[in-house]
Amino acid sequence: MPSNASGRSDKNDAPPLPEPLRVPVADSHTHLDMQAGTVAEGLAKAASVGVTTVVQVGCDLAGSRWATETAAAHDAVHATVALHPNEAPRIVHGDPGREPGGDAALDEALAEIDRLAALPQVKGVGETGLDHFRTGPEGKEAQERSFRAHIEIAKRHGKTLVIHDRDAHADVLRVLKEEGAPERTVFHCYSGDAEMAGICASAGYYMSFAGNVTFKNAQNLRDALAVAPRELILVETDAPFLTPAPYRGRPNAPYLIPVTVRAMAAVRGVDEDTLATALAVNTARAFGY
Ligand SMILES: [Zn+2]
Ligand SMILES: [Zn+2]
C-alpha cells in the first residue's frame, strides 16, 4: 500500500516480504539491536519466509552482552561476542565524548569478551579483524592487537572466529597465518575477489556473502562466489546494512535473506533449494550448533 500522500512508496520503508524459501536457512550475521521493532517481531517475520536461525553479532561490550542475553532468550538466535575492529582503537585512543582508556582499558574489555565467550549460547568470537577503511594509521596497532587477542580467545574456547575485513585482505590473511586460525573461521561480508576465494578455500575459511553480492558494481564478488567451494559458502544480511537489490538503501533485516539466496543461486547456476540446503548445513557446521 502506498505509504505517503503522493502515492509512491517511501524509499525509507521496509521492503516487502519476499516469497518464502522452501528450505529454511540461517542469516549467518545480523545486528538485531540496530533494527526497528522487537526481536520477537524480527524473528517471526524472518521465520515466515524460511529464515529460521540468526547469528547475532556483538560489536562492543554492551552489544556483546546483549547478544548473549538475546541468544539465551530465543532458541532461534546464536550469539557471537567481540570488540569490532573500529571499536578497539576507540577504547585505546578515545572518541568524541569518550576518554582515551589506553592499553589497560583494551585489556579490560578483552577480559570481559573472554568471559562472555565461555557461555554456551555464544558460538563465535567476532566480529573482529581489520578495517583499514574506517580506522586510520594511528589506530592500526590497537586494532591488530585486538584482532590477535580475539583469535586466541576463539581458539581457547573452541569457538568460531568471525572476521570483519575491510580493505585489509592481505593483512587479515597474514595475521591469521601468524597466529594460526581457529578450526572454524568465517569471513563475514566476504569482500575479496576470486583469487582470494581460492586462498580462503585452501585454508578452509568460510565465505559469507551479504546483500552487496547483488549490487551492479560487485562483479568481483559474484566471480568469487562462482568459484568458492559449495561447502564453504554462507549467506548473511549484516542488517540493517547492505540491503540487497532492488531494495538497496532501504532498511535491511533477516527476512530479506531469500532475495540474496536467489541472486546467489543464479550466480552459481543451481536451483534455490539446492543452494539453500547447502547454506543451512554449512552455517550449522561453521558455528557448531
Ligand atoms: Zn563487519
Ligand atoms: Zn556486522
Side-chain angles (χ1 to χ4, degrees):
M1 206 170 103
S3 60
N4 58 17
S6 70
R8 287 177 292 114
S9 71
D10 194 292
K11 66 177 184 353
N12 296 318
D13 280 356
L17 271 179
E19 195 66 27
L21 294 168
R22 286 176 296 265
V23 178
V25 301
D27 180 349
S28 85
H29 186 114
T30 197
H31 301 282
L32 294 169
D33 49 336
M34 304 179 196
Q35 296 163 33
T38 67
V39 168
E41 284 163 1
L43 294 175
K45 207 168 167 185
S48 78
V49 293
V51 182
T52 49
T53 306
V54 308
V55 178
Q56 168 65 26
V57 175
C59 293
D60 57 17
L61 281 185
S64 294
R65 288 189 198 107
W66 190 87
T68 65
E69 288 158 14
T70 305
H74 299 272
D75 288 343
V77 180
H78 302 293
T80 74
V81 296
L83 310 174
H84 191 280
N86 296 324
E87 169 71 1
R90 282 183 213 129
I91 292 173
V92 175
H93 300 291
D95 208 31
R98 184 166 171 180
E99 290 297 308
D103 285 337
L106 180 55
D107 286 337
E108 221 171 279
L110 287 166
E112 174 69 8
I113 294 297
D114 190 352
R115 279 191 289 276
L116 293 172
L119 295 169
Q121 73 271 35
V122 175
K123 303 301 178 194
V125 173
E127 54 184 294
T128 180
L130 301 173
D131 188 323
H132 293 171
F133 181 77
R134 289 232 181 267
T135 293
E138 72 291 344
K140 260 190 169 178
E141 196 189 314
Q143 189 172 81
E144 187 168 318
R145 182 160 86 82
S146 176
F147 181 26
R148 289 181 192 275
H150 282 83
I151 296 172
E152 190 275 327
I153 292 168
K155 286 198 287 194
R156 186 155 34 79
H157 291 285
K159 305 283 165 104
T160 303
L161 185 71
V162 177
I163 303 270
H164 168 104
D165 159 25
R166 188 149 185 204
D167 294 354
H169 305 323
D171 284 335
V172 166
L173 292 169
R174 171 181 56 81
V175 172
L176 281 174
K177 204 168 179 182
E178 286 170 4
E179 293 293 322
E183 202 181 307
R184 299 178 306 279
T185 296
V186 175
F187 275 73
H188 117 75
C189 189
Y190 179 81
S191 58
D193 58 10
E195 191 191 336
M196 180 166 155
I199 296 170
C200 290
S202 50
Y205 302 153
Y206 291 90
M207 289 161 266
S208 182
F209 289 85
N212 54 343
V213 75
T214 68
F215 295 174
K216 205 175 265 181
N217 63 356
Q219 190 54 45
N220 61 324
L221 292 184
R222 289 185 285 277
D223 293 344
L225 172 60
V227 300
R230 182 158 93 182
E231 65 276 12
L232 294 178
I233 297 171
L234 309 181
V235 66
E236 67 173 70
T237 56
D238 200 18
F241 314 107
L242 297 174
T243 314
Y247 307 116
R248 192 173 177 178
R250 289 167 67 173
N252 200 8
Y255 77 89
L256 290 170
I257 279 282
V259 178
T260 304
V261 169
R262 285 178 186 128
M264 289 171 68
V267 170
R268 302 275 302 179
V270 296
D271 69 85
E272 174 186 321
D273 293 357
T274 304
L275 181 64
T277 303
L279 291 168
V281 171
N282 294 349
T283 315
R285 189 185 337 102
F287 286 95
Y289 62 78

PDB file of all heavy atoms in Angstrom, residues 29-31 57 59 84 127 164 188 236 238-239 241, ligand 2:
ATOM      1  N   HIS A  29      24.875 -13.624   9.949  1.00  0.00           N
ATOM      2  CA  HIS A  29      25.473 -12.424  10.567  1.00  0.00           C
ATOM      3  C   HIS A  29      24.465 -11.289  10.531  1.00  0.00           C
ATOM      4  O   HIS A  29      24.166 -10.736   9.473  1.00  0.00           O
ATOM      5  CB  HIS A  29      26.728 -12.032   9.776  1.00  0.00           C
ATOM      6  CG  HIS A  29      27.526 -10.904  10.381  1.00  0.00           C
ATOM      7  ND1 HIS A  29      28.792 -11.085  10.887  1.00  0.00           N
ATOM      8  CD2 HIS A  29      27.251  -9.589  10.539  1.00  0.00           C
ATOM      9  CE1 HIS A  29      29.270  -9.932  11.324  1.00  0.00           C
ATOM     10  NE2 HIS A  29      28.345  -9.000  11.130  1.00  0.00           N
ATOM     11  N   THR A  30      23.935 -10.953  11.695  1.00  0.00           N
ATOM     12  CA  THR A  30      22.993  -9.839  11.733  1.00  0.00           C
ATOM     13  C   THR A  30      23.170  -9.040  13.023  1.00  0.00           C
ATOM     14  O   THR A  30      23.840  -9.490  13.960  1.00  0.00           O
ATOM     15  CB  THR A  30      21.536 -10.328  11.580  1.00  0.00           C
ATOM     16  OG1 THR A  30      20.697  -9.212  11.230  1.00  0.00           O
ATOM     17  CG2 THR A  30      21.020 -10.978  12.857  1.00  0.00           C
ATOM     18  N   HIS A  31      22.587  -7.841  13.018  1.00  0.00           N
ATOM     19  CA  HIS A  31      22.633  -6.950  14.180  1.00  0.00           C
ATOM     20  C   HIS A  31      21.202  -6.556  14.528  1.00  0.00           C
ATOM     21  O   HIS A  31      20.730  -5.483  14.149  1.00  0.00           O
ATOM     22  CB  HIS A  31      23.472  -5.705  13.858  1.00  0.00           C
ATOM     23  CG  HIS A  31      24.886  -6.014  13.454  1.00  0.00           C
ATOM     24  ND1 HIS A  31      25.856  -6.339  14.374  1.00  0.00           N
ATOM     25  CD2 HIS A  31      25.490  -6.071  12.246  1.00  0.00           C
ATOM     26  CE1 HIS A  31      27.009  -6.569  13.746  1.00  0.00           C
ATOM     27  NE2 HIS A  31      26.814  -6.419  12.450  1.00  0.00           N
ATOM     28  N   VAL A  57      25.466 -10.734  16.171  1.00  0.00           N
ATOM     29  CA  VAL A  57      26.884 -10.413  16.287  1.00  0.00           C
ATOM     30  C   VAL A  57      27.109  -9.193  17.180  1.00  0.00           C
ATOM     31  O   VAL A  57      26.493  -8.141  16.967  1.00  0.00           O
ATOM     32  CB  VAL A  57      27.467 -10.163  14.880  1.00  0.00           C
ATOM     33  CG1 VAL A  57      28.913  -9.700  14.963  1.00  0.00           C
ATOM     34  CG2 VAL A  57      27.355 -11.438  14.043  1.00  0.00           C
ATOM     35  N   CYS A  59      29.468  -6.102  18.697  1.00  0.00           N
ATOM     36  CA  CYS A  59      30.499  -5.190  18.175  1.00  0.00           C
ATOM     37  C   CYS A  59      31.210  -4.409  19.286  1.00  0.00           C
ATOM     38  O   CYS A  59      32.236  -3.793  19.038  1.00  0.00           O
ATOM     39  CB  CYS A  59      29.886  -4.191  17.207  1.00  0.00           C
ATOM     40  SG  CYS A  59      29.297  -4.952  15.693  1.00  0.00           S
ATOM     41  N   HIS A  84      34.520  -4.763  17.866  1.00  0.00           N
ATOM     42  CA  HIS A  84      34.680  -4.533  16.427  1.00  0.00           C
ATOM     43  C   HIS A  84      36.064  -3.931  16.150  1.00  0.00           C
ATOM     44  O   HIS A  84      36.601  -3.195  16.997  1.00  0.00           O
ATOM     45  CB  HIS A  84      33.575  -3.577  15.979  1.00  0.00           C
ATOM     46  CG  HIS A  84      33.436  -3.447  14.503  1.00  0.00           C
ATOM     47  ND1 HIS A  84      34.273  -2.653  13.753  1.00  0.00           N
ATOM     48  CD2 HIS A  84      32.560  -4.001  13.633  1.00  0.00           C
ATOM     49  CE1 HIS A  84      33.904  -2.726  12.474  1.00  0.00           C
ATOM     50  NE2 HIS A  84      32.873  -3.545  12.381  1.00  0.00           N
ATOM     51  N   GLU A 127      32.369  -9.689  15.655  1.00  0.00           N
ATOM     52  CA  GLU A 127      33.236  -9.551  14.543  1.00  0.00           C
ATOM     53  C   GLU A 127      34.511  -8.832  14.931  1.00  0.00           C
ATOM     54  O   GLU A 127      34.488  -7.768  15.539  1.00  0.00           O
ATOM     55  CB  GLU A 127      32.537  -8.842  13.388  1.00  0.00           C
ATOM     56  CG  GLU A 127      31.913  -7.478  13.720  1.00  0.00           C
ATOM     57  CD  GLU A 127      31.162  -6.938  12.520  1.00  0.00           C
ATOM     58  OE1 GLU A 127      31.789  -6.629  11.490  1.00  0.00           O
ATOM     59  OE2 GLU A 127      29.906  -6.845  12.608  1.00  0.00           O
ATOM     60  N   HIS A 164      35.853  -9.524  10.256  1.00  0.00           N
ATOM     61  CA  HIS A 164      35.476  -8.327   9.502  1.00  0.00           C
ATOM     62  C   HIS A 164      36.748  -7.866   8.792  1.00  0.00           C
ATOM     63  O   HIS A 164      37.741  -7.545   9.450  1.00  0.00           O
ATOM     64  CB  HIS A 164      34.950  -7.259  10.469  1.00  0.00           C
ATOM     65  CG  HIS A 164      34.784  -5.896   9.869  1.00  0.00           C
ATOM     66  ND1 HIS A 164      33.552  -5.372   9.523  1.00  0.00           N
ATOM     67  CD2 HIS A 164      35.693  -4.931   9.558  1.00  0.00           C
ATOM     68  CE1 HIS A 164      33.716  -4.146   9.031  1.00  0.00           C
ATOM     69  NE2 HIS A 164      35.009  -3.850   9.046  1.00  0.00           N
ATOM     70  N   HIS A 188      33.073 -12.712   7.260  1.00  0.00           N
ATOM     71  CA  HIS A 188      31.734 -12.132   7.126  1.00  0.00           C
ATOM     72  C   HIS A 188      31.765 -11.043   6.061  1.00  0.00           C
ATOM     73  O   HIS A 188      32.788 -10.391   5.855  1.00  0.00           O
ATOM     74  CB  HIS A 188      31.274 -11.625   8.497  1.00  0.00           C
ATOM     75  CG  HIS A 188      31.033 -10.157   8.591  1.00  0.00           C
ATOM     76  ND1 HIS A 188      29.908  -9.562   8.050  1.00  0.00           N
ATOM     77  CD2 HIS A 188      31.757  -9.165   9.138  1.00  0.00           C
ATOM     78  CE1 HIS A 188      29.977  -8.256   8.288  1.00  0.00           C
ATOM     79  NE2 HIS A 188      31.078  -7.991   8.932  1.00  0.00           N
ATOM     80  N   GLU A 236      24.331 -13.998   4.588  1.00  0.00           N
ATOM     81  CA  GLU A 236      24.063 -13.129   5.736  1.00  0.00           C
ATOM     82  C   GLU A 236      23.390 -11.854   5.256  1.00  0.00           C
ATOM     83  O   GLU A 236      23.425 -11.527   4.062  1.00  0.00           O
ATOM     84  CB  GLU A 236      25.381 -12.769   6.437  1.00  0.00           C
ATOM     85  CG  GLU A 236      26.275 -11.874   5.565  1.00  0.00           C
ATOM     86  CD  GLU A 236      27.509 -11.362   6.306  1.00  0.00           C
ATOM     87  OE1 GLU A 236      28.400 -12.178   6.590  1.00  0.00           O
ATOM     88  OE2 GLU A 236      27.571 -10.146   6.591  1.00  0.00           O
ATOM     89  N   ASP A 238      23.978  -8.864   7.415  1.00  0.00           N
ATOM     90  CA  ASP A 238      24.683  -7.750   8.070  1.00  0.00           C
ATOM     91  C   ASP A 238      23.694  -6.597   8.305  1.00  0.00           C
ATOM     92  O   ASP A 238      24.064  -5.436   8.318  1.00  0.00           O
ATOM     93  CB  ASP A 238      25.887  -7.264   7.256  1.00  0.00           C
ATOM     94  CG  ASP A 238      26.899  -6.484   8.107  1.00  0.00           C
ATOM     95  OD1 ASP A 238      26.849  -6.608   9.352  1.00  0.00           O
ATOM     96  OD2 ASP A 238      27.719  -5.750   7.535  1.00  0.00           O
ATOM     97  N   ALA A 239      22.415  -6.960   8.475  1.00  0.00           N
ATOM     98  CA  ALA A 239      21.363  -5.948   8.665  1.00  0.00           C
ATOM     99  C   ALA A 239      21.618  -5.161   9.939  1.00  0.00           C
ATOM    100  O   ALA A 239      22.098  -5.728  10.922  1.00  0.00           O
ATOM    101  CB  ALA A 239      20.007  -6.661   8.741  1.00  0.00           C
ATOM    102  N   PHE A 241      22.457  -3.080   7.498  1.00  0.00           N
ATOM    103  CA  PHE A 241      23.241  -2.571   6.370  1.00  0.00           C
ATOM    104  C   PHE A 241      23.056  -3.460   5.145  1.00  0.00           C
ATOM    105  O   PHE A 241      22.489  -4.541   5.215  1.00  0.00           O
ATOM    106  CB  PHE A 241      24.724  -2.507   6.766  1.00  0.00           C
ATOM    107  CG  PHE A 241      24.948  -1.897   8.129  1.00  0.00           C
ATOM    108  CD1 PHE A 241      25.322  -2.676   9.211  1.00  0.00           C
ATOM    109  CD2 PHE A 241      24.726  -0.541   8.343  1.00  0.00           C
ATOM    110  CE1 PHE A 241      25.504  -2.122  10.473  1.00  0.00           C
ATOM    111  CE2 PHE A 241      24.901   0.022   9.601  1.00  0.00           C
ATOM    112  CZ  PHE A 241      25.291  -0.777  10.669  1.00  0.00           C
TER     113      PHE A 241
HETATM  114 ZN    ZN B   2      28.408  -6.819  11.114  1.00  0.00          ZN
END
